[in-house]
Amino acid sequence: MTWTVAPEPYDSPDARALWRAYYTEVSDRWYLLHEGRRTDPDELEREIAAADGSDLAPPRGQLLIARYGGEPAGSAGVRLLDAATAELKRVFLLPGMRGRGGAGRLVAAAEDAARALGAAELILDTRSDLVEARTLYARLGYTETDRHNDDPYAEHWFRKKLG
């Protein structure tokens, strides 16, 4: 089986399904850790609908879909914050696809997409409980930095200069 990573519209059926899987996982992880329960279904639907991904559409963004053996397996997006800075968003692999090298390919493709948008630097935020994400970003050369946004769920901020 092989990996492919390619741009895709943020509202394609595969992109929507991956967004739902991503949001469900990170939301459930947060609620289970902090409140001992899964995300309320009504809240989940509201939040998924509210963040439609249109900020990851050209000309100021790009959503990428990873496929493993032709099947949708993950996503990553970038969006320009200013002329030189892009933000990495929605890096996600379906649980059954993890450990097969897809995350590194997704992030590398997102870095290429950010460069194509004109960015010289890529920034991101994540949470403390997303240990796998923090490990991935450090392995890929991202440096932990001071806070760069006011996201109430963000606990760690990273950046990487794009050569």
Side-chain angles (χ1 to χ4, degrees):
M1 296 284 213
T2 60
W3 284 101
T4 59
V5 179
E8 187 153 335
Y10 70 90
D11 57 354
S12 75
D14 290 340
R16 286 182 182 183
L18 288 164
W19 169 232
R20 174 173 290 283
Y22 167 86
Y23 193 85
T24 300
E25 181 175 333
V26 298
S27 183
D28 280 352
R29 282 177 72 163
W30 192 89
Y31 277 111
L32 286 167
L33 179 65
H34 296 281
E35 297 184 11
R37 65 172 177 88
R38 294 195 179 281
T39 310
D40 174 83
D42 291 335
E43 178 187 358
L44 185 68
E45 293 308 317
R46 279 193 311 273
E47 295 302 320
I48 288 171
D52 68 357
S54 58
D55 57 337
L56 304 177
R60 297 194 47 84
Q62 185 70 70
L63 179 71
L64 303 161
I65 300 294
R67 287 183 164 71
Y68 187 72
E71 294 297 316
S75 64
V78 294
R79 65 179 181 166
L80 281 177
L81 299 178
D82 59 42
T85 309
E87 184 177 25
L88 183 62
K89 303 293 291 179
R90 296 189 186 187
V91 177
F92 174 72
L93 284 176
L94 293 169
M97 296 291 113
R98 296 173 188 165
R100 300 179 189 195
R105 286 180 171 86
L106 261 172
V107 173
E111 291 171 358
D112 289 343
R115 283 186 202 93
L117 292 169
E121 181 175 55
L122 199 52
I123 64 172
L124 64 96
D125 65 65
T126 191
R127 299 187 328 228
S128 292
D129 63 305
L130 301 176
V131 175
E132 310 91 338
R134 293 186 0 247
T135 300
L136 171 71
Y137 300 133
R139 181 172 52 84
L140 297 176
Y142 287 78
T143 303
E144 194 156 358
T145 64
D146 292 331
R147 173 185 289 270
H148 62 252
N149 64 25
D150 60 359
D151 183 329
Y153 296 103
E155 298 167 310
H156 297 271
W157 296 265
F158 290 84
R159 66 179 61 239
K160 182 178 181 179
K161 296 285 185 193
L162 301 174

